[in-house]
Structures are given as C-alpha cells and as structure tokens.
C-alpha cells in the first residue's frame, strides 16, 4: 500500500436534487473534504449539452471516479447515460489508443427506493444491486479502470433521518479511506459492498 492522496471526482446525477432525501445528505457530508471534487451533471448541463472536453479534463485530473446517483429503472438517470455515451470516447477511454483512464479506479454510489431484501434471487427484483451494476463494471473494465465495490443505500422511501445520517457518516469514512489509500486491495477484493467495511 502506498501512502498517497488520491483525488476523487464524484460525477453526480440527480434530476430532482431539491427533493432528495438521501443523496443530498451523502453529498453534503463530503462536499468540503480535501481532494474531493463534486461534478453535478444536472446543475452543469440542464439542457443535456455536455462539454466533452471539460469532462475529459476532469477525469484526467482525478484518480478515483465515482458515479453517484439514485437507481432509476435499475440503472442511472438519463443524463448520466449521455455522459457515458459522449465522454468515454473511443481513442480516449477505450480502443487501441484509448488509454487515458488506465489505472484509475471507478465505483458506483447508489440509492434505491427498494429495500435490501428485494434485491436478491428470491426477492421482488430477482437480482442484487451488484448484478444490476454489471454494465458499469464492464464499462470500467473496457476503460482499463479498476471497478471497486459499490456503496449502496437501500429503502429510501422508508428510511429514517437517523439512518440517513449513519449512512452518510459511513460514506464519509469510505471516501476519506479511499482518498488516503488506506484500504488494501485484498480487503477491497473480498468486499461485496463498501458499506460493509469497518473503518
Ligand atoms: C424514474 C424513477 C425510477 C426509479 N427506479 C427505481 C429502481 O429501478 N429501483 C429502485 O429501487 N428505486 C427506483 N426509484 C426510486 C429512487 O431510486 C429513489 O427515489 C432514490 O434513490 C431516492 O434518493 P434521493 O432521496 O436522493 O432522491 C426510481 C425513482 C424514479 C423517479
């Protein structure tokens, strides 16, 4: 493990942030942390006209890229998909000469309306969140990035304010630990969800 400070970019996508109960608290918890940049896509591009060069420059300037968003139809909000389509260009992020993201880390931070028990083979949604996130995992792989376990907050419809605060405190610990590079690779490889880590 090297003692370095990773620069973290949170690519945040929430089309109704003013109504957010969970993402807002998570984000506020890390907003002023050293080494953390928040890039709120719906604030920056309300018309969906993404500045590709600026977004690529932000990626180049950071070591860990986080896609944070509410789960929408088992995936991300539309503007995040547009971001993937435009920003992760051939020749930049993937393809023979597309090595600009090589060696960086990527991860997802997800909030779900569905409670944890519905996200399993026997549950109403039949699959785990990790299974639903396979397109993100493979996109990171294609871009030569190392996809970390996700941080997931379930059951946002019925979550209590004190539970939100607990998750947000845990989230801050995870972000700081990733920034300070204090979680070893073996631990990361064994962890299904970053919420499970005791830090
Ligand atoms: C268009 C739409 C699609 C949604 N799809 C899902 C879904 O597939 N699975 C799920 O568990 N929750 C789903 N939800 C619920 C959101 O994930 C939930 O409202 C959000 O995580 C709450 O986060 P917030 O408090 O930051 O707004 C959906 C909500 C909307 C508006």
């Amino acid at each position: 493990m090297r003692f370095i400070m990773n620069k973290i970019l949170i690519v945040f996508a929430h089309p109704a942030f003013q109504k957010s109960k969970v993402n807002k608290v998570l984000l506020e918890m890390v907003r002023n942390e050293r080494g953390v940049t928040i890039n709120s896509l719906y604030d920056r591009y309300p018309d969906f006209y993404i500045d590709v060069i600026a977004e690529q420059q932000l990626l180049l300037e950071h070591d860990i890229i986080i896609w944070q968003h509410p789960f929408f139809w088992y995936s991300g909000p539309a503007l995040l998909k547009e971001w993937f389509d435009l920003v992760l260009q051939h020749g930049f992020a993937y393809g023979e000469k597309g090595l600009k993201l090589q060696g960086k880390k990527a991860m997802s931070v997800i909030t779900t309306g569905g409670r944890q028990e519905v996200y399993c083979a026997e549950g109403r949604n039949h699959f785990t969140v990790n299974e639903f996130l396979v397109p993100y995992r493979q996109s990171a792989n294609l871009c030569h990035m190392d996809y970390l376990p996700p941080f997931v907050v379930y059951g946002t419809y019925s979550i209590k304010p004190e539970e939100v605060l607990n998750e947000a405190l845990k989230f801050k610990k995870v972000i700081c630990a990733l920034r300070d590079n204090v979680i070893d690779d073996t631990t990361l490889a064994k962890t299904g969800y970053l919420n499970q880590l005791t830090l």
Side-chain angles (χ1 to χ4, degrees):
M1 203 164 22
R2 286 179 301 142
F3 291 94
I4 51 167
M5 191 184 97
N6 288 310
K7 288 184 76 185
I8 297 181
L9 175 66
I10 300 180
V11 179
F12 180 67
H14 196 319
F17 189 59
Q18 70 286 356
K19 290 197 224 156
S20 164
K21 222 163 62 173
V22 181
N23 280 287
K24 190 180 273 177
V25 183
L26 296 184
L27 220 50
E28 289 314 319
M29 196 56 92
V30 298
R31 191 179 288 284
N32 296 318
E33 276 304 323
R34 202 163 33 99
V36 176
T37 307
I38 295 171
N39 178 22
S40 178
L41 296 183
Y42 279 90
D43 282 334
R44 216 164 167 195
Y45 308 114
D47 56 0
F48 274 54
Y49 192 80
I50 292 177
D51 183 339
V52 173
I53 300 295
E55 292 299 313
Q56 290 178 342
Q57 187 56 36
L58 270 179
L59 291 176
L60 294 175
E61 289 165 4
H62 292 82
D63 308 296
I64 302 178
I65 313 304
I66 294 182
W67 299 302
Q68 179 177 342
H69 54 92
F71 226 22
F72 275 11
W73 288 103
Y74 309 106
S75 182
L79 184 53
L80 184 62
K81 179 62 166 59
E82 181 77 348
W83 182 94
F84 270 82
D85 293 351
L86 298 183
V87 177
L88 301 183
Q89 266 173 345
H90 181 267
F92 174 81
Y94 72 100
E96 208 181 320
K97 294 185 180 148
L99 299 172
K100 297 281 197 239
L101 305 179
Q102 189 167 37
K104 295 183 189 288
K105 291 184 164 68
M107 80 178 260
S108 295
V109 174
I110 305 291
T111 60
T112 73
R115 292 197 309 274
Q116 185 162 9
E117 58 266 30
V118 303
Y119 281 101
C120 64
E122 304 75 29
R124 203 182 52 220
N125 287 333
H126 301 294
F127 301 96
T128 66
V129 169
N130 256 328
E131 287 167 333
F132 283 117
L133 290 176
V134 161
Y136 292 88
R137 176 181 297 279
Q138 178 49 27
S139 299
N141 288 343
L142 188 72
C143 299
H144 316 281
M145 300 167 87
D146 181 17
Y147 190 71
L148 303 177
F151 186 94
V152 183
V153 181
Y154 297 96
T156 57
Y157 293 129
S158 54
I159 197 165
K160 297 188 180 77
E162 58 269 27
E163 292 168 330
V164 177
L165 186 61
N166 270 341
E167 291 298 335
L169 288 167
K170 217 186 293 174
F171 178 60
K172 182 176 176 170
K173 281 189 181 171
V174 165
I175 291 296
C176 293
L178 290 171
R179 178 197 62 196
D180 300 337
N181 207 40
V182 294
I183 314 174
D184 62 85
D185 289 346
T186 323
T187 306
L188 278 177
K190 280 192 301 198
T191 305
Y193 296 88
L194 284 180
N195 314 56
Q196 296 163 343
L197 279 185
T198 312
L199 293 166

